[in-house]
Amino acid sequence: MIVLHQIDPVALQLGPVAIHWYGIMYLLAFGVAWWLGLKRVRAGRLPGVNEQAYGDLLFYGMLGVVLGGRLGYALFYAFGDVVRNPLTLLRIWEGGMSFHGGLLGVLVACLWWARRYRLHFFDVVDFVAPLVPPGLGFGRLGNYIGAELWGKFTGAGWGVVFPRSDLGPYTGMPLDRLRELHANGALDAFARHPSQLYQAALEGLVMFTVLWVYSHKPRPRYAVSGMFALLYGVFRFLVEFVRMPDAQLGYLAFGWLTMGQVLSLPLIAIGLFLLWISRRMPVLTPEPKAA
């Protein structure tokens, strides 16, 4: 089955103000993280921390995601564009967020918050890790709705045709004309992997399920963080094989190595290392809250 992507990235237009689906996905991500985090706080998964303190952690984490994500994108993927026009850093609704930059931003926020409340940094990161995958899933859905970060050609009778991608002689044609061409099968050769949906499933649904179940039972320090880093690194590395590299970077080596894969290799190594050292660490015992 070949689908022509026709989703408007703008969810609601209020005069000159456009509310993009991408921004709504971020709101959903933070809302779900708040709800899941409250459940873990009330279950005593971070001893000594109350709901108000967790609210502070979530706020700092939100800042870390946005600032780190944008700065990371500028550093890793669009340094030249930002140098030419620094205001592009503020256009979050247009996409252009780096997971690896956002991760560093969240880690900085967790470090600052952990020092403030005199908690071990990795106890905080282990607590936060299961809350992140839903946000990753929503973010990838936002990428799909915005028709960005598409995959390679499937070369088969299925996939998604993205109007802003390379459509050969049909590139740049209006959507109405593309609908006619799609109905006639003229666009079948340009069907691509919906790599955004692959990532939404793996980084969102699968990672959340594994981490939530894995962390339901108390684990040694570093274990949940290690599992998160390992899973994300492996999933991202694999999906990059069917995802188009960023146009401004292309392949970095061997005709297939992308920046996403380069940035994911350290995560795989860190994940394995954290899981290894966790075997000798104490288990953080929950302290259920009184009813």
Side-chain angles (χ1 to χ4, degrees):
M1 179 179 179
I2 295 178
V3 176
L4 175 64
H5 187 284
Q6 305 181 58
I7 305 175
D8 189 342
V10 177
L12 184 63
Q13 187 78 43
L14 300 174
V17 179
I19 300 176
H20 289 69
W21 282 110
Y22 194 78
I24 292 176
M25 292 300 153
Y26 267 78
L27 292 177
L28 288 173
F30 293 137
V32 171
W34 168 253
W35 176 63
L36 293 174
L38 284 182
K39 290 174 68 70
R40 288 174 65 78
V41 166
R42 291 166 181 168
R45 304 312 297 268
L46 197 56
V49 173
N50 58 27
E51 295 179 11
Q52 181 177 354
Y54 170 65
D56 292 340
L57 173 60
L58 183 64
F59 176 73
Y60 300 140
M62 290 167 58
L63 291 180
V65 168
V66 175
L67 296 178
R70 286 302 285 176
L71 291 174
Y73 180 79
L75 177 63
F76 301 134
Y77 298 100
F79 185 74
D81 293 339
V82 175
V83 169
R84 287 188 292 271
N85 182 11
L87 292 179
T88 58
L89 281 172
L90 304 178
R91 299 173 183 171
I92 300 173
W93 58 88
E94 295 180 355
M97 297 286 284
S98 164
F99 163 79
H100 299 90
L103 176 62
L104 291 175
V106 170
L107 292 178
V108 170
C110 288
L111 177 61
W112 189 90
W113 186 86
R115 294 184 65 179
R116 177 182 175 185
Y117 286 92
R118 299 181 179 180
L119 295 170
H120 193 286
F121 170 64
F122 269 98
D123 289 343
V124 178
V125 177
D126 286 343
F127 173 85
V128 169
L131 314 181
V132 176
L136 296 179
F138 285 126
R140 295 308 179 189
L141 289 177
N143 293 145
Y144 179 77
I145 293 172
E148 59 182 3
L149 307 181
W150 51 72
K152 299 177 181 179
F153 296 122
T154 63
W158 62 275
V160 179
V161 177
F162 294 95
R164 290 192 288 115
S165 66
D166 181 6
L167 301 178
Y170 313 117
T171 301
M173 286 189 174
L175 186 57
D176 287 344
R177 177 57 179 152
L178 292 179
R179 290 194 184 102
E180 296 175 3
L181 293 168
H182 173 251
N184 295 329
L187 301 180
D188 290 2
F190 304 101
R192 296 177 178 271
H193 288 279
S195 55
Q196 316 97 321
L197 300 183
Y198 300 167
Q199 290 185 263
L202 292 174
E203 300 168 12
L205 181 60
V206 174
M207 275 186 62
F208 171 70
T209 302
V210 172
L211 288 173
W212 191 259
V213 172
Y214 183 69
S215 65
H216 184 72
K217 176 182 176 181
R219 298 290 177 179
R221 181 177 290 158
Y222 305 116
V224 180
S225 299
M227 184 65 71
F228 175 94
L230 177 62
L231 288 176
Y232 181 86
V234 169
F235 289 158
R236 177 65 182 271
F237 192 91
L238 293 176
V239 173
E240 288 285 321
F241 283 110
V242 295
R243 173 175 153 174
M244 289 296 294
D246 293 83
Q248 68 274 25
L249 296 179
Y251 293 112
L252 304 184
F254 315 121
W256 57 266
L257 186 67
T258 67
M259 177 61 79
Q261 290 174 319
V262 169
L263 296 174
S264 295
L265 286 174
L267 281 178
I268 296 173
I270 291 170
L272 291 171
F273 176 72
L274 292 177
L275 287 170
W276 179 67
I277 64 174
S278 73
R279 298 179 303 168
R280 294 176 290 178
M281 292 294 112
V283 175
L284 190 65
T285 305
E287 294 181 357
K289 306 300 180 183

